[in-house]
Amino acid sequence: QVQLVESGGGLLQAGGSLRLSCAASGRTFSGYAMGWFRQAPGKEREFVAAISWSGGNTYYADSVKGRFTISRDNAKKTVYLQMNSLKPEDTAVYYCAAGLSVRTVIAANCDYWGQGTQVTVSS
């Protein structure tokens, strides 16, 4: 069993930076691939980034590539999403999730989901 709690969301202006954190509980965190998703009002949830259990492989949606960085610290049972050069279209509720592999995470076929944290970017 893994429980995920996101934090770090907020309101900021376009061009700014924000780092989201996702703290996990449970002994098997390091065995899971992790990912970040987002859902904007009136839109479906979309994949943002994923990272393998070792942290050695990362994947990004084209819309965030070059601006966002996913990382993890297995000793702290935490995954991060560093977001730079934020745009108004990045406004959404951001969720972290855990899955058995990067492939299942990217497909949103995740075993565990957090409750989400709001990110609002003003123009």
Side-chain angles (χ1 to χ4, degrees):
Q1 187 78 8
V2 176
Q3 292 184 329
L4 304 173
V5 179
E6 302 94 336
S7 62
L11 170 65
L12 71 165
Q13 291 187 331
S17 297
L18 205 59
R19 189 177 81 158
L20 305 182
S21 298
C22 174
S25 62
R27 294 179 295 177
T28 59
F29 171 77
S30 61
Y32 284 93
M34 299 295 297
W36 287 95
F37 295 79
R38 67 186 181 186
Q39 186 167 19
K43 295 186 177 182
E44 294 192 354
R45 184 175 57 197
E46 64 174 357
F47 166 76
V48 174
I51 188 167
S52 60
W53 67 270
S54 68
N57 294 293
T58 58
Y59 303 85
Y60 298 93
D62 288 343
S63 59
V64 306
K65 202 171 293 183
R67 299 188 298 121
F68 290 12
T69 302
I70 188 172
S71 61
R72 66 189 295 165
D73 185 332
N74 285 340
K76 295 182 178 180
K77 296 183 179 180
T78 301
V79 63
Y80 305 97
L81 185 68
Q82 177 67 43
M83 305 185 293
N84 299 328
S85 303
L86 281 160
K87 305 175 182 180
E89 50 264 43
D90 294 318
T91 295
V93 177
Y94 283 72
Y95 300 89
C96 72
L100 294 179
S101 69
V102 168
R103 180 174 296 182
T104 60
V105 168
I106 292 174
N109 186 19
C110 300
D111 295 323
Y112 303 102
W113 293 86
Q115 84 289 347
T117 186
Q118 176 72 47
V119 173
T120 303
V121 185
S122 63
S123 58

